[in-house]
Amino acid sequence: MFPRPLLLCLQGLLLGGFAQACPPPCQCYEGTKVFCSGEEIWGIPEGLPGNATQLFFVETSLAALGSGPLSNGSSLARLVFLNNPHLSLEAGAFGERASLTELEVSGSNLSALSSEAFGSLPQLRSLFLTFSALRALEPGLFHRTPGLQALHLQGNALAALPPRIFSPLRELRLLDLSHNPMAQLPDRLFHPLARLQVLKLSDIGLTRLPLGTFRPLRSLQELSLDRNALADLPPGAFSGLSRLRRLQLQHNALASLPPCVFACLPNLDSLNLEGNRLSALPAGLLRGTPNLTQLLAASNRLETLPAGIFSSLLQAQTIVLSHNRLAHLPAGAFRDLPSLTTLQLDHNHLTALAGDIFHNLTSLEVLGLAGNRLQALPPGIFDYNDYLLGVALKDNPWVCDCRLAPLASWIRNWSAPLNSQTFCASPDHLKGWALPALPQEQLVCLAAPGPADSSLSPGEAETARAPCTYRDPDGTVQLACDRAACHRLTVHLPPQGDSTGRGLAYESDWVLNSSCGTVRVSVAIRAEPGGTAREEEAVSPHPCSEP
C-alpha cells in the first residue's frame, strides 16, 4: 500500500495547472489529467472529460470493474489505480482501448485475473500489477498485449507460473518478479525473452538455479538474484550473458563460488556478493570481468585474499570488504588498481599492515580501517596516496607511543574531523585520549633499560632502575624514571655549597636529554630548623617527552 504522504505528493504534482470542471469528487488539471480520490467513490464517475490522457483512482471504494465504464474517450494513455483494496478486474474491463500505453494496479486485492482482463490493448507498453495479492496468472493473460515492454509483478503471492506465460511478450525489456514465494522457476520460462534487459528475481525463495536458466537472455544487462536462499551456483550459471553489466547476488547462502562462474561476463560493471557465507574467493574469480568498477563483498567470512585476485580490475573504483574475518593481506594485495577511489576494510581482524600495502592506489580517496585490531601503522603508509581525504580509524586498540607519531601527525593535517572518535587504548596514562587532540610530545617510546649507573649507590640504583635515564650535557645531573611513566623520580645532585641555617641552600634548572626525549627539571633545597633540608622538585608534567 502507498503511504498517505506519497499519495498527497502525487496529488500535488497534478495540481500544476488550472482546475477544470470535473464530476465530483474528481479534479481535473492541465486539461488532460484527472485525479479521483475518496472512499465515497464506488464506481467510475460519469462525465469524465473525453480528452483526458491520464486518469488516477487513489484510495477509493471501487469494486468490480467490468466492461463499459471506461469505454468513453479515445485519448487515455495512462490509467492508474493506487490503494483501492476492493478492486477486481473482470474480462474486458478496459475495452478496446488502443491508446492506452501504461496501466498500473497497485495496492489492491486482486487475488486472480481473468485471461481476458486486459481486453485488446495492442499499444500497452508498461503494466504494473504490484502488491495486489495475486495468487496465480492465467496462461493466456498476455496474449492481447504483444507490445508490452515493462512488466512489474513484484509483491504478490505468486507461488508458480505457467511455463509459457511470457511467450507472447517478445518485445519485453523489463520483468520484475521480486517478492513472490516462487522457490523455483519453470524450465524454459525465459526462452522467448531474447530482448529482455532487466530481470529482477529478488526475494522469491530460490534455492537453486538450473543450468541454462538465463542462457536465452542474450540482451540482459541487469540481473537481480538477491535475498534468496542460493547455496551454490552451477559453473555455467551465467553463460551467454555477455552484455550483463549488473549482477546482484547479495544476501544468499553462498558458501563457495566456482572459479570461472563469472568468466563469461566481460561487460560486468557491478558485482554484489554481500551478506553470504563465503570464507574464500578463488584466485581467478575475476579474470573474466575486466570492466568491473564496483565489487561489494562485505559481511561474509573471508579470512584472507588470494594474491593477485584484483590484478585484472584496471577499471575498479570501489571495493568493499567490510565485516569479514580478514586477518592478513598478502603482499601486493591491491596492486594494479590505478582507478580505485574507495576501499573499505573496516570491521575485520587485521592486526598489521605492510608499509607499501596502499602505495599503488594513486587514485584512492576513501579508506576504511575502523573496527580492526591495529595498534600502529607503518611510517609513510599513505605517502603515495595524494588524493586520500578520508581514512576511518576508530575502534582499533591504538598504542599511543612513538610508533604512532607519524599517523597522529597525518591525522591532524588531513583527517582530524573524520577521526575525532579515534582513541588511544594504551599506555594507561593516555588511555581514552582522542588521537587528533593528543600533543605530539606525548607520543614517545621508553628506551630499553641499561646497566646501573656507577655514580649511584646500590640502593639508589635499584630505586632508579628504569627504561629512561636522563642526563645534562656535562653528565653531572642524572634523572631516572620508572616504567610507570615517570611517577617516581630519583635525582643525584652534584655538590653545590653548604647551608647551616634557614633559607635557600640549593636551586638550579636543567634540561636533561635521553633517547626517550627531553625533560626539564627545577630543584630547590631550603634549610629547615634543626639543620635539616627540604628538597623541592618541579618536573615537567610528562617528563618522558619533548617539552
Side-chain angles (χ1 to χ4, degrees):
M1 297 295 243
F2 288 84
R4 169 67 66 173
L6 179 60
L7 299 177
L8 293 177
C9 180
L10 174 63
Q11 185 176 13
L13 292 174
L14 299 175
L15 291 174
F18 182 79
Q20 299 181 2
C22 259
C26 298
Q27 294 175 298
C28 297
Y29 308 99
E30 299 179 5
T32 58
K33 299 178 183 178
V34 181
F35 186 92
C36 302
S37 179
E39 295 180 356
E40 67 273 23
I41 299 178
W42 292 87
I44 303 298
E46 296 182 358
L48 292 174
N51 64 339
T53 61
Q54 299 185 50
L55 179 57
F56 297 81
F57 292 94
V58 180
E59 294 186 345
T60 71
S61 298
L62 282 174
L65 187 62
S67 59
L70 287 170
S71 59
N72 292 332
S74 58
S75 302
L76 193 63
R78 185 183 184 192
L79 178 58
V80 178
F81 297 89
L82 299 179
N83 291 0
N84 299 274
H86 308 295
L87 183 67
S88 63
L89 303 179
E90 298 179 359
F94 307 104
E96 300 289 329
R97 192 167 287 282
S99 61
L100 196 66
T101 59
E102 180 176 334
L103 172 62
E104 179 171 355
V105 181
S106 294
S108 296
N109 189 22
L110 297 179
S111 297
L113 286 173
S114 165
S115 60
E116 299 296 324
F118 304 125
S120 180
L121 301 174
Q123 298 302 316
L124 195 65
R125 296 294 180 264
S126 297
L127 175 59
F128 295 78
L129 298 171
T130 62
F131 301 97
S132 293
L134 279 171
R135 298 180 181 275
L137 300 180
E138 294 291 329
L141 183 63
F142 303 119
H143 283 175
R144 310 291 293 274
T145 58
L148 204 61
Q149 295 182 1
L151 175 57
H152 298 261
L153 294 169
Q154 66 266 32
N156 285 290
L158 298 171
L161 292 174
R164 299 180 60 81
I165 184 69
F166 302 130
S167 292
L169 305 181
R170 299 183 181 273
E171 300 298 320
L172 200 64
R173 304 297 199 273
L174 183 152
L175 174 60
D176 192 344
L177 295 169
S178 301
H179 311 295
N180 282 283
M182 290 184 178
Q184 60 183 2
L185 301 170
D187 292 339
R188 303 178 63 86
L189 179 66
F190 304 123
H191 274 233
L193 307 181
R195 297 189 178 184
L196 195 69
Q197 298 176 0
V198 178
L199 176 58
K200 297 186 178 184
L201 301 172
S202 306
D203 192 18
I204 64 172
L206 280 179
T207 58
R208 57 184 293 269
L209 288 178
L211 190 62
T213 299
F214 307 119
R215 187 172 290 131
L217 306 179
R218 298 184 299 271
S219 301
L220 199 65
Q221 298 180 20
E222 179 177 341
L223 175 59
S224 298
L225 292 165
D226 54 292
R227 292 172 176 80
N228 283 290
L230 296 170
D232 54 57
L233 298 173
F238 308 113
S239 295
L241 305 185
S242 60
R243 297 185 182 181
L244 195 67
R245 294 178 55 84
R246 185 178 179 87
L247 178 56
Q248 307 268 35
L249 288 166
Q250 67 269 29
H251 302 294
N252 276 279
L254 297 171
S256 63
L257 293 171
C260 299
V261 69
F262 306 130
C264 57
L265 305 177
N267 289 301
L268 194 65
D269 176 77
S270 176
L271 174 60
N272 195 333
L273 298 169
E274 291 183 349
N276 280 282
R277 302 173 184 176
L278 299 169
S279 58
L281 298 177
L285 183 68
L286 304 173
R287 288 176 187 164
T289 59
N291 290 303
L292 197 68
T293 64
Q294 183 182 68
L295 173 63
L296 308 177
S299 300
N300 278 280
R301 302 172 183 179
L302 300 175
E303 297 180 1
T304 188
L305 298 173
I309 187 172
F310 306 126
S311 60
S312 63
L313 305 185
L314 299 181
Q315 308 301 320
Q317 298 176 11
T318 300
I319 294 178
V320 178
L321 298 167
S322 311
H323 295 277
N324 276 283
R325 301 174 184 178
L326 294 172
H328 169 71
L329 297 174
F334 306 113
R335 190 184 300 125
D336 301 319
L337 291 170
S339 303
L340 197 70
T341 60
T342 300
L343 176 59
Q344 298 291 359
L345 297 167
D346 55 285
H347 297 92
N348 278 283
H349 297 171
L350 296 171
T351 58
L353 296 174
D356 61 351
I357 190 73
F358 306 126
H359 282 189
N360 290 297
L361 304 181
T362 53
S363 299
L364 194 64
E365 298 175 3
V366 177
L367 174 63
L369 292 173
N372 279 282
R373 300 174 182 178
L374 298 167
Q375 296 183 350
L377 291 180
I381 191 171
F382 304 133
D383 282 358
Y384 293 83
N385 309 119
D386 294 340
Y387 298 100
L388 189 58
L389 297 178
V391 180
L393 297 167
K394 67 178 184 178
D395 298 329
N396 279 283
W398 299 111
V399 177
C400 292
D401 60 16
C402 62
R403 295 173 300 169
L404 210 61
L407 177 62
S409 177
W410 186 89
I411 290 175
R412 282 191 290 269
N413 291 331
W414 296 101
S415 190
L418 180 62
N419 287 289
S420 60
Q421 300 300 309
T422 301
F423 301 110
C424 300
S426 62
D428 288 343
H429 69 286
L430 295 179
K431 186 175 182 179
W433 275 75
L435 193 54
L438 188 64
Q440 193 78 1
E441 58 267 22
Q442 299 282 10
L443 296 170
V444 296
C445 292
L446 298 179
D453 198 297
S454 59
S455 62
L456 299 177
S457 68
E460 291 172 327
E462 179 65 26
T463 302
R465 186 177 292 119
C468 295
T469 302
Y470 295 83
R471 302 171 185 268
D472 66 345
D474 298 329
T476 57
V477 178
Q478 300 151 6
L479 181 149
C481 63
D482 66 8
R483 296 177 182 270
C486 301
H487 292 163
R488 182 173 67 251
L489 303 177
T490 299
V491 180
H492 193 75
L493 300 176
Q496 182 171 332
D498 184 23
S499 179
T500 57
R502 295 187 180 185
L504 185 64
Y506 186 93
E507 183 175 35
S508 188
D509 296 315
W510 301 285
V511 176
L512 309 181
N513 298 303
S514 85
S515 60
C516 297
T518 301
V519 63
R520 288 178 176 173
V521 177
S522 297
V523 175
I525 300 177
R526 295 182 179 274
E528 296 291 344
T532 61
R534 180 167 57 91
E535 182 178 347
E536 298 176 353
E537 301 178 4
V539 184
S540 60
H542 299 282
C544 291
S545 62
E546 293 289 338

